[in-house]
Amino acid sequence: MQSKLFSILPFQYQFQNDFGAGNLRDDLSSFLAHCAGNDFNSAVGFLYRLVYYQVQNGVWDKEQPIDKKKKMEIVDELESRLLLISEKLNQNIELNNKLISELETKKNNITQLISTKNT
């Protein structure tokens, strides 16, 4: 909380999972109040959400700045898209080769029919 990056971290959050929505001040206050009241079972839920908040915002990634982490996520997503496109292209190539083969066969059949009719 004393670091320079604290001011740029999101105050409110919606995790789209079991941790749900919340804001940093309320979660910290609730966690501290439950700990002060020796209600550790209730404090655990807030602790999990606060740890998840830190993980999602790159607090635990000391070797990579947050921007580099996001850049790597984008690169990974683009790589998976390229793999899907590559697979689709390979399927299309196989289908095109099959269709060309069928067309060649039909063309040969028509050519044979014409030559048979002419003789």
Side-chain angles (χ1 to χ4, degrees):
M1 293 242 200
Q2 302 300 327
S3 75
K4 296 178 203 174
L5 293 178
F6 178 73
S7 62
I8 64 170
L9 293 173
F11 179 72
Q12 295 185 346
Y13 35 85
Q14 174 67 32
F15 290 126
Q16 305 294 332
N17 60 18
D18 293 344
F19 293 114
N23 69 60
L24 195 54
R25 181 182 17 192
D26 290 345
D27 284 349
L28 284 171
S29 297
S30 297
F31 173 71
L32 293 173
H34 287 298
C35 287
N38 291 328
D39 185 9
F40 298 112
N41 287 333
S42 298
V44 167
F46 291 101
L47 179 62
Y48 282 145
R49 185 166 24 184
L50 290 168
V51 169
Y52 188 76
Y53 169 86
Q54 292 177 7
V55 170
Q56 286 298 105
N57 289 294
V59 173
W60 296 95
D61 290 339
K62 296 296 182 187
E63 71 277 353
Q64 291 184 359
I66 292 174
D67 290 337
K68 183 151 185 147
K69 180 183 173 190
K70 288 183 180 181
K71 189 175 186 179
M72 290 304 297
E73 288 174 1
I74 291 170
V75 167
D76 289 342
E77 182 182 339
L78 289 173
E79 183 180 19
S80 66
R81 284 184 184 177
L82 283 173
L83 287 173
L84 289 174
I85 290 171
S86 174
E87 288 175 14
K88 187 64 176 172
L89 282 173
N90 286 334
Q91 290 173 356
N92 286 343
I93 288 170
E94 289 176 18
L95 178 62
N96 285 343
N97 288 337
K98 181 181 174 186
L99 290 173
I100 288 171
S101 175
E102 288 177 11
L103 282 173
E104 288 292 330
T105 303
K106 291 186 184 211
K107 178 182 169 188
N108 289 338
N109 289 344
I110 291 174
T111 305
Q112 284 179 352
L113 178 66
I114 291 173
S115 68
T116 306
K117 291 292 181 175
N118 286 337
T119 55

